Structure formats: structure tokens, C-alpha cells
Amino acid sequence: MSEIKSICVFCGSSEGNDTVIIDQAYELGKTLANEQMVLVYGAAKIGIMGRVAQGALDQKGKVIGVIPDFLKLKEVVHLGLGELITTETMHERKMKMQELSDGFIALPGGFGTLEELFEIVTWSQLGLHQKPIGVLNVGGFYDELLLLLENMVRKGFLKIENFELLIVDESIEGLMTKLKEFKPKQVPRWLKSDRV
């Protein structure tokens, strides 16, 4: 069993056009707050990111935002957070988010969300952390991506044990249960250094 006190959520800074996704983002924020888990995310008050944060804040949850300084000019930063951390670079942002979190959840999003998800799962593959990584597959949003990953396994580019590092569920309740039940597998480390 995995003791999870904080969850990092990767998701879009755009809201998209699917109200189910928007609603589920808000519900995820509420759930984390109600379960006394700290929400760690990218600090915006817009898009899906903003919906997750608002869900947590409306339930008096603790929310930590992490954003690189240059994005403050482009994204609308949420000024109502419990803590706002500014980094110099995107890489430092991801490092800080990883350090602050006991687990990860990817909601729907675009390139940035996928980049964050795949970097964190690659770090796990390399043995740099052993934290659960969840994908909230709202309405089958990630179905085609999961099919692509399965094809990578079939073609020999991805080991099945690394594909299985992704914990997938279509419901918040189901995903949260799986994250809590996560037990790290003893996977040989690719790298001996603790540095990414």
C-alpha cells in the first residue's frame, strides 16, 4: 500500500470543449481535498488546471502551484493558492513538482501534459522514483494513446513492465483506489545516480 499525502496533477492550461472533462477536473480537485491530499500543479487559474485547483480550494484543500518565471507573462497565475513556487526553467518546475509529490495523475491536455506524463514515467522506468502514476481516462480520452503504447510493446520498443507503470482508470474513485494500492515493483535501475 502506498501512503499518499500529495498528488501532482498534469493537465491542460486550456479548458477544451468537453464539459465532462471540465467537470471531472473540478471533481478530482474536490476529491483530493476531501481525502486530505495536497494538490501540486502548474499554478494556472485558467483551463483544466484552474478547474482542478478550484475544486480543491472550494473544499479548503491545500494547493501548491509551481511555475517558471517566464510563464507568468503568458499564463494567468492563480494568486489564491496556499503556496506559489517560482522556478527559472521548465525542467526545474518538473523537478520541484516531483519532489513535492507522492504520486501523479494525468488528466486530459495537450503537448505539455503528455510531455510531463512521459517524463515522469520515464524517470520511473529509469529507477529515479517509485511513485504511482495515474491516468484519468475521462470518457476514453486516452484510448488511442494507450493503443499506441500497446503497439510499442508488440513491436519491442517498450517493455510490458514499463507500460504497466501507468495506472489507468476512467473514474476518479477507481483511479484513487488503484493509486493507494500501488506497490512499487523491483525494477533494475538503469542509472546509478539519483540525479535526472
Side-chain angles (χ1 to χ4, degrees):
M1 296 287 282
S2 187
E3 185 180 9
I4 301 175
K5 296 180 180 178
S6 58
I7 289 278
C8 176
V9 176
F10 303 132
C11 56
S13 57
S14 297
E15 201 165 79
N17 55 22
D18 187 329
T19 56
V20 174
I21 292 172
I22 296 167
D23 291 344
Q24 284 295 288
Y26 184 82
E27 288 301 317
L28 177 60
K30 282 177 60 177
T31 299
L32 295 178
N34 289 335
E35 298 205 15
Q36 306 298 310
M37 293 181 186
V38 177
L39 166 64
V40 179
Y41 86 118
K45 72 174 183 182
I46 57 174
I48 297 299
M49 293 169 72
R51 296 303 295 158
V52 175
Q54 201 57 51
L57 291 169
D58 285 350
Q59 298 297 311
K60 311 299 183 192
K62 182 175 180 182
V63 181
I64 301 174
V66 186
I67 192 166
D69 189 58
F70 76 91
L71 275 184
K72 285 184 174 179
L73 303 174
K74 298 178 182 177
E75 292 183 12
V76 181
V77 177
H78 202 309
L79 299 177
L81 306 178
E83 187 175 353
L84 180 64
I85 298 171
T86 303
T87 63
E88 287 189 16
T89 67
M90 291 289 281
H91 184 69
E92 288 176 10
R93 177 200 218 179
K94 288 177 288 186
M95 287 290 292
K96 178 55 69 175
M97 291 167 86
Q98 192 274 137
E99 289 168 9
L100 292 169
S101 306
D102 299 319
F104 308 89
I105 293 176
L107 281 169
F111 281 158
T113 302
L114 292 179
E115 189 267 340
E116 290 169 327
L117 172 62
F118 282 117
E119 182 149 17
I120 209 66
V121 77
T122 300
W123 291 358
S124 179
Q125 174 182 297
L126 295 173
L128 298 173
H129 73 83
Q130 290 188 311
K131 302 174 183 180
I133 304 166
V135 175
L136 187 58
N137 191 24
V138 182
F141 181 86
Y142 281 114
D143 284 354
E144 289 84 3
L145 177 62
L146 295 168
L147 286 173
L148 173 62
L149 297 179
E150 289 172 2
N151 191 48
M152 290 178 178
V153 173
R154 284 194 298 273
K155 298 292 185 182
F157 289 102
L158 179 63
K159 292 181 179 179
I160 185 66
E161 58 265 32
N162 292 328
F163 171 70
E164 291 173 349
L165 290 171
L166 291 175
I167 301 166
V168 183
D169 204 285
E170 293 196 0
S171 75
I172 294 171
E173 182 181 1
L175 186 61
M176 294 302 294
T177 298
K178 290 177 181 178
L179 291 176
K180 291 173 190 173
E181 292 175 348
F182 170 78
K183 294 178 182 175
K185 294 181 181 178
Q186 294 303 314
V187 179
R189 289 170 63 100
W190 287 31
L191 304 174
K192 292 185 179 179
S193 170
D194 285 330
R195 299 181 63 186
V196 175

